[in-house]
Amino acid sequence: PADETARAIRRLKPDSVPVQLLDDLVRAASRAPTGANRQAFSFVVVTDRRHIARLAGVWRDASAFYLDTLSREVGPREGPPTPAGSAPSTGSGRNSSRSRR
């Protein structure tokens, strides 16, 4: 089935998606694991092309605002992430031996 495969989509077909498939997809997505099993999501299925076009603009604006705000608060990433409080190992110092506990 289409919902069990992973592949890149290069082009979208203009064909409508069957309602049963939409129901199956929402049901599967609602069973997906979430952090601390919070289930903090909701789904809205939009099938009208005019509404989709309007929502696409709203989504782009909201995404741009979120990413811009996040980059100002957190700052741009430089290099690979380092665990909090850790430093590159030099073979000496307080973390040089795990046997000293």
Side-chain angles (χ1 to χ4, degrees), residues 3-4 20-35 37-45:
D3 61 338
E4 295 176 0
Q20 182 61 49
L21 178 57
L22 293 172
D23 288 341
D24 293 344
L25 291 171
V26 170
R27 193 173 304 110
S30 66
R31 292 183 181 141
T34 59
N37 197 29
R38 290 186 53 221
Q39 307 294 323
F41 50 74
S42 58
F43 300 96
V44 176
V45 177

Side-chain angles (χ1 to χ4, degrees), residues 10-78:
R10 306 276 189 259
R11 283 180 275 176
L12 298 176
K13 293 182 177 182
D15 305 349
S16 63
V17 178
V19 172
Q20 182 61 49
L21 178 57
L22 293 172
D23 288 341
D24 293 344
L25 291 171
V26 170
R27 193 173 304 110
S30 66
R31 292 183 181 141
T34 59
N37 197 29
R38 290 186 53 221
Q39 307 294 323
F41 50 74
S42 58
F43 300 96
V44 176
V45 177
V46 181
T47 57
D48 184 286
R49 296 250 177 230
R50 290 172 298 167
H51 287 97
I52 292 170
R54 287 182 58 208
L55 288 171
V58 172
W59 180 255
R60 275 191 296 274
D61 293 346
S63 297
F65 175 79
Y66 171 77
L67 293 174
D68 182 53
T69 302
L70 184 65
S71 68
R72 278 188 276 122
E73 289 180 8
V74 176
R77 288 187 60 190
E78 296 178 16

Side-chain angles (χ1 to χ4, degrees), residues 85-101:
S86 69
S89 175
T90 60
S92 62
R94 66 172 209 206
N95 291 328
S96 63
S97 173
R98 298 266 183 210
S99 62
R100 290 189 264 163
R101 287 185 182 210

